[in-house]
Amino acid sequence: MSKVVNYEVENNIAVITIDSPPVNAMGYLVRQGTWDAIEQFEKDTAATAAVLICAGRTFIAGADISEFNAPPKDPWLPDLVQRIEDCPKVIVAAIHGTALGGGLETAMACHYRCAVASAKVGLPEVTLGLLSGASGTQRLPRLTGVKKALDMMISGKPISAAEAKESGVIDEIIEGDLREGALAYAASLLKENSSVRQLSKMDVDKEGINDEFFNDYRQQMQKQTRGFFAPEQIVKCAEAAVSKSYEDALKVERDLFTECRESTHSQAQRHLFFAEREVAKITDVPKDTPKRDINSVAVIGAGTMGGGITMNFLAIGLPVTLLEVSQEGLERGLAIIRKNYEGMVKKGRMNEDQLEETMALIKPTTSYADLSEADLVIEAVFENMAVKKEVFAELDKVCKQGAILASNTSSLDLNEIAEVTARPEDVIGLHFFAPANVMRLLEIVRGAKTARDVIATTMAMAKAIRKIGVLVGVCFGFVGNRMFFPYVREAQLMLLEGVSAERIDKVAFDWGMAMGPNSVVDLSGLDVFNKLNSEWADRPDDPAYYRVCSVLCEMERYGQKTGRGMYIYEGRKAVADEEVSEIAAREAKALGIEAREVSDEEIMERMMCAMINEGALVLEEGIAQRSSDIDVVFANGYGMPRFRGGPMIYADTLGLDNVYQAINKYRERYGDLYWTPAPLLEQLAKEGKTFSEWKK
Ligand code: T1G
């Protein structure tokens, strides 16, 4: 018997146990071992039924994603799935944890399915730019109907065991021990002379499913799937399930799965899957580094950021002491938090009692003395160094030994802040992204003296509050903002060359960005960008740098918050404003910049090459641990589409030599100030290497 699949017989029922940590992914050894166990069961006259179960934390969590970059190895999962279904004796899948992707497909090939109440099942392949390539697109509709199957495959979201039972995916919910319950369930099936149930032989319920249905479905999914390749292929598989025989539809599934797997979209999305797990691995902070207990949190500043930060901890039941300098400011902040929760009550995501219970976790105060017992204090005050230093000097006096002192600064020098305390080893940056209770990204800023256990504690805390914590070094703008500024810089400069704000934004939107750079600037506030640039000691010595942004700020046109910025706002609707182009033309004339034709390709190339070049500097300076960390920042904090994978993998996909040539093209036209290739980029381009291969 294989090392990862065990076979035994108990009371004439075979128990096939897969044991392949961490998630029983269907890699080659698991597939081969399962195949052999099915063969053995089929021949074993002592066994009249079988239970397929997994050891460890979960049932099969899918095919082994890491195998997709190599040619598939027999037995293929689709073939194994069919082998299971073809077994003439009853096989019962016993599910716990998450049966996902190939895991659910394997369970659907079994003739019956049982699960513990806490189990979840789903087909999340779309999140990897794939579709269920082992008959899932054909078997699931036969169980749940086409609409429910499409909802599950297009959203990629798992459903609970209860919902799965209601939808026909699970036949029996097991109370108590799964193995025991599954054996009893299998015995009851034998007692009832239950036969093998083969989904492939069942028809799809076609009631109400016609061409309009699929076209309507395509329309309603457009907003959430814009730009992605896989969702349309999934709809095509569902259409085949309705219009073709099982065998013919399976061929459609196999062909479209291969197209998805080979697509740059899927390669980018699979890259992000692993990158978002790699971020937690810190070279000099091993997994077993001791962590400090975080049982109480304090937040300083009850503004938008402070309120949002507070909500993250309330969401996991942690009490928060919320400090503001004035009672009025405190009440205003509490009102904002309450309003956010009232919105959630309206959407049915919480009830009134939960709202009050959550609000009761907040301990509002205007006194620093109340912070003395906090395990973690997060400063979220005005983005000004002097103010932050005052706060940290006060924290140093009142906070208990061992408290972690964190700043939410988005760009200021954390080392300078730490130096005003006698405990720089306890100081770290926690850069939340607005809205802080929504955005998944959390840049964790490591100071020169930040202790390893403080890093380990805050990285674990990030996961606890369902954020993706990315460890970054200290520099202006850390990783995200530092690379986003050159991206916006190019957008600003193109305005002076006569390109309209709305055209630049459309090109970026069509490329896949959630919003174009000018819309982002209006959302964050032109004054915020203006202030950050004015705080930047090494700001480029160029009067054209963010010129339009500066002029609009002088006119107090800050963006959405003032109803006018790069656009005019009628409510949330952005309307192009001819005056911005006039301002740009006037400023260009004064600066001696001539209008020129700029292609859509150049618009995106300049913005991305500026970002990528800065990313190469970030890497060689050690501000980010690895290029994939940078990709995680942009996929989770800046609205970069997951099917692009992030700026650095995108550069690898373009080929660094092509990026290098493009930068040199702009260097010839615009000079060295912005377009000097980063040494690392030049080196890798000349060596024919990628950022992904590079290690500092
Ligand atoms: N393949 C390979 N490794 C995987 C894996 C997978 N499917 N799932 C998880 N891992 C690794 C992960 O990289 C990490 O490794 C460790 O397991 C723990 O994961 C043919 C084509 C199951 C909900 O998309 O959603 O089947 O960092 O940190 O937070 O039609 O993992 O420790 O070295 O995420 O408790 C479809 C993906 C695949 C599910 C657990 N399946 N996995 O979450 O742990 S395609 C999926 C998850 C497919 C078929 C198609 C989650 C989880 P390391 P983790 P977690």
Side-chain angles (χ1 to χ4, degrees):
M1 188 43 60
S2 89
K3 291 195 308 292
V4 292
V5 179
N6 182 52
Y7 181 92
E8 59 191 319
V9 179
E10 193 172 315
N11 300 331
N12 77 13
I13 295 176
V15 180
I16 300 170
T17 306
I18 295 172
D19 186 2
S20 178
V23 296
N24 291 312
M26 267 283 182
Y28 164 67
L29 290 177
V30 175
R31 296 198 303 275
Q32 188 61 64
T34 306
W35 184 287
D36 296 344
I38 298 293
E39 296 266 307
Q40 183 174 353
F41 162 57
E42 202 163 300
K43 293 177 195 130
D44 188 346
T45 53
T48 48
V51 166
L52 176 65
I53 193 167
C54 289
R57 63 203 281 206
T58 178
F59 190 76
I60 304 159
D64 184 333
I65 305 169
S66 62
E67 286 186 349
F68 288 137
N69 295 330
K73 210 173 158 190
D74 282 342
W76 257 40
L77 188 55
D79 296 340
L80 171 61
V81 156
Q82 195 53 52
R83 181 71 191 79
I84 292 170
E85 184 182 75
D86 289 344
C87 180
K89 295 192 280 187
V90 165
I91 301 176
V92 175
I95 298 170
H96 72 295
T98 49
L100 300 174
L104 179 55
E105 290 173 300
T106 302
M108 290 193 290
C110 295
H111 309 112
Y112 296 86
R113 286 157 290 282
C114 65
V116 291
S118 58
K120 291 188 175 180
V121 301
L123 295 178
E125 289 87 338
V126 70
T127 63
L128 300 167
L130 297 169
L131 53 84
S132 307
S135 80
T137 67
Q138 303 307 310
R139 283 196 165 94
L140 189 61
R142 283 169 166 77
L143 282 172
T144 64
V146 176
K147 171 78 172 57
K148 178 72 180 173
L150 269 174
D151 290 347
M152 288 177 66
M153 293 190 286
I154 294 293
S155 71
K157 288 193 174 59
I159 59 174
S160 67
E163 190 179 345
K165 185 159 188 311
E166 201 182 313
S167 312
V169 180
I170 299 284
D171 302 297
E172 189 80 3
I173 299 287
I174 302 295
E175 304 297 330
D177 178 77
L178 176 60
R179 188 178 189 279
E180 204 176 299
L183 281 166
Y185 176 54
S188 69
L189 290 168
L190 288 174
K191 199 168 165 204
E192 293 153 12
N193 291 320
S194 304
S195 62
V196 297
R197 274 185 327 182
Q198 297 181 316
L199 280 177
S200 60
K201 303 283 191 298
M202 284 169 62
D203 289 334
V204 176
D205 179 356
K206 297 184 175 63
E207 181 65 35
I209 304 298
N210 52 33
D211 281 354
E212 283 67 47
F213 168 83
F214 288 108
N215 292 334
D216 292 348
Y217 201 93
R218 285 184 169 93
Q219 282 310 313
Q220 62 91 16
M221 79 181 193
Q222 180 53 23
K223 192 165 183 312
Q224 79 185 94
T225 64
R226 177 176 70 88
F228 286 86
F229 177 70
E232 170 55 28
Q233 315 322 311
I234 291 171
V235 176
K236 283 180 183 156
C237 288
E239 285 178 314
V242 170
S243 59
K244 296 176 182 294
S245 69
Y246 179 81
E247 291 69 26
D248 290 346
L250 212 53
K251 290 194 189 85
V252 172
E253 178 190 270
R254 291 237 173 120
D255 292 345
L256 296 180
F257 172 77
T258 305
E259 271 191 65
C260 288
R261 190 191 59 209
E262 305 308 318
S263 70
T264 55
H265 283 205
S266 183
Q267 287 161 34
Q269 291 172 255
R270 297 190 321 253
H271 160 76
L272 280 174
F273 175 84
F274 290 113
E276 288 171 344
R277 287 151 180 81
E278 190 73 12
V279 288
K281 293 164 190 164
I282 301 164
T283 320
D284 64 341
V285 182
K287 213 166 181 174
D288 60 358
T289 302
K291 301 174 185 64
R292 300 184 192 182
D293 290 336
I294 304 288
N295 297 311
S296 70
V297 175
V299 173
I300 302 174
T304 312
M305 285 308 284
I309 292 169
T310 298
M311 292 174 70
N312 288 299
F313 296 97
L314 302 181
I316 58 169
L318 269 184
V320 176
T321 302
L322 182 59
L323 180 139
E324 251 298 346
V325 287
S326 70
Q327 191 56 34
E328 187 217 352
L330 196 53
E331 280 159 20
R332 193 167 49 244
L334 289 168
I336 292 171
I337 295 173
R338 177 173 288 276
K339 192 159 176 286
N340 283 335
Y341 286 130
E342 283 165 355
M344 289 164 76
V345 169
K346 280 204 189 88
K347 288 177 193 158
R349 285 167 49 198
M350 82 179 348
N351 61 39
E352 293 292 351
D353 292 346
Q354 289 163 331
L355 186 158
E356 294 311 329
E357 282 160 23
T358 305
M359 290 301 294
L361 285 172
I362 304 174
K363 183 183 170 195
T365 180
T366 57
S367 161
Y368 271 88
D370 287 337
L371 308 187
S372 60
E373 287 313 306
D375 301 315
L376 167 65
V377 182
I378 302 173
E379 164 273 311
V381 301
F382 188 56
E383 190 68 359
N384 172 282
M385 183 56 88
V387 173
K388 291 189 188 296
K389 284 182 173 179
E390 270 174 42
V391 167
F392 273 78
E394 193 61 28
L395 292 179
D396 199 28
K397 288 183 201 144
V398 304
C399 292
K400 68 182 180 184
Q401 284 311 310
I404 293 175
L405 310 181
S407 170
N408 173 51
T409 180
S410 58
S411 63
L412 298 177
D413 186 335
L414 185 84
N415 294 324
E416 206 178 320
I417 295 170
E419 282 317 308
V420 304
T421 73
R423 44 176 134 176
E425 65 282 356
D426 293 340
V427 176
I428 196 161
L430 292 179
H431 176 209
F432 287 82
F433 285 73
N437 55 309
V438 174
M439 296 296 280
R440 287 188 74 200
L441 178 62
L442 176 62
E443 280 186 322
I444 298 180
V445 188
R446 174 179 196 162
K449 295 177 181 165
T450 302
R452 288 187 172 80
D453 68 330
V454 170
I455 293 168
T457 305
T458 46
M459 288 297 285
M461 181 276 295
K463 191 162 183 176
I465 59 172
R466 289 186 282 278
K467 299 282 182 193
I468 291 200
V470 182
L471 190 68
V472 299
V474 175
C475 69
F476 184 78
F478 311 131
V479 169
N481 283 344
R482 172 163 169 189
M483 292 171 62
F484 195 64
F485 292 155
Y487 169 91
V488 177
R489 175 200 77 212
E490 286 308 301
Q492 287 280 308
L493 291 170
M494 283 188 270
L495 292 172
L496 297 175
E497 293 180 10
V499 188
S500 68
E502 51 275 18
R503 179 162 166 245
I504 293 168
D505 280 6
K506 183 175 185 320
V507 168
F509 183 81
D510 290 347
W511 184 81
M513 294 299 281
M515 299 169 88
N518 297 298
S519 301
V520 171
V521 168
D522 270 355
L523 177 66
S524 309
L526 281 92
D527 51 327
V528 171
F529 275 79
N530 214 35
K531 182 168 181 344
L532 282 168
N533 279 321
S534 60
E535 293 257 346
W536 184 15
D538 302 330
R539 164 200 170 102
D541 179 16
D542 171 11
Y545 182 77
Y546 277 78
R547 182 66 194 139
V548 173
C549 177
S550 307
V551 170
L552 290 175
C553 283
E554 287 159 16
M555 299 163 71
E556 295 185 347
R557 289 183 54 153
Y558 298 141
Q560 284 194 25
K561 58 185 157 185
T562 54
R564 294 170 84 92
M566 299 304 294
Y567 296 94
I568 295 172
Y569 288 87
E570 293 162 4
R572 297 291 298 263
K573 187 172 181 303
V575 177
D577 180 2
E578 191 48 42
E579 188 183 2
V580 172
S581 298
E582 289 160 6
I583 290 167
R586 184 193 70 211
E587 293 304 316
K589 192 162 185 291
L591 291 162
I593 293 171
E594 293 192 5
R596 54 185 287 277
E597 275 307 305
V598 183
S599 68
D600 288 0
E601 290 68 30
E602 180 180 330
I603 288 173
M604 208 62 217
E605 184 178 71
R606 275 172 64 176
M607 295 197 295
M608 285 311 294
C609 283
M611 179 187 281
I612 291 161
N613 201 42
E614 198 67 31
L617 293 170
V618 158
L619 272 181
E620 60 190 285
E621 293 168 24
I623 302 296
Q625 288 190 97
R626 53 183 82 87
S627 63
S628 58
D629 283 13
I630 296 173
D631 291 333
V632 170
V633 165
F634 280 87
N636 290 284
Y638 290 82
M640 192 165 281
R642 295 183 72 86
F643 62 78
R644 300 288 184 185
M648 308 313 272
I649 195 71
Y650 176 66
D652 287 346
T653 310
L654 290 176
L656 296 191
D657 53 334
N658 293 323
V659 174
Y660 179 62
Q661 282 171 38
I663 288 171
N664 279 317
K665 172 178 64 177
Y666 297 122
R667 185 183 197 176
E668 276 164 37
R669 188 191 302 162
Y670 297 110
D672 297 348
L673 179 62
Y674 301 134
W675 295 106
T676 298
L680 176 63
L681 172 64
E682 185 166 18
Q683 171 203 330
L684 294 176
K686 286 179 176 166
E687 292 169 355
K689 288 190 178 152
T690 63
F691 286 124
S692 300
E693 295 169 283
W694 181 77
K695 294 277 175 283
K696 185 161 178 66

